[in-house]
Amino acid sequence: MDTIDQLIDSFDSNEKNKGRKYREFLYHCFTKFEKEIKKIKSKKIINKYITMRDNTLSYLIQHEKEITLKLSK
């Protein structure tokens, strides 16, 4: 999933604890989408971004172990 890889590439953390780093990453993803949503005026596009954000966060939560491994590289 390209969006996930882009989010991982844009994430930077000095946290050593994998669990905390993963939670920081979830927060990073949420705030990235929020910044985009705040820029947009169209309700239709805002709803698209909200759906994309919710789906992305859901995917990240369902695949926690896989994402944690990617973050530790």
Side-chain angles (χ1 to χ4, degrees), residues 5-28:
D5 291 333
Q6 291 169 344
L7 287 167
I8 289 173
D9 290 343
S10 69
F11 177 67
D12 186 35
S13 174
N14 293 327
E15 182 60 57
K16 301 286 187 236
N17 181 291
K18 289 181 182 181
R20 278 190 231 136
K21 190 172 194 174
Y22 171 74
R23 288 189 295 278
E24 283 181 9
F25 178 66
L26 289 179
Y27 179 74
H28 167 74

Side-chain angles (χ1 to χ4, degrees), residues 40-65:
I40 301 166
K41 303 288 185 232
S42 166
K43 280 284 188 195
K44 186 176 182 181
I45 297 175
I46 286 173
N47 288 336
K48 177 184 171 186
Y49 268 92
I50 289 171
T51 301
M52 194 164 43
R53 177 198 64 202
D54 292 347
N55 290 341
T56 301
L57 289 173
S58 177
Y59 175 87
L60 293 173
I61 290 167
Q62 290 172 5
H63 296 89
E64 180 179 350
K65 288 181 182 175

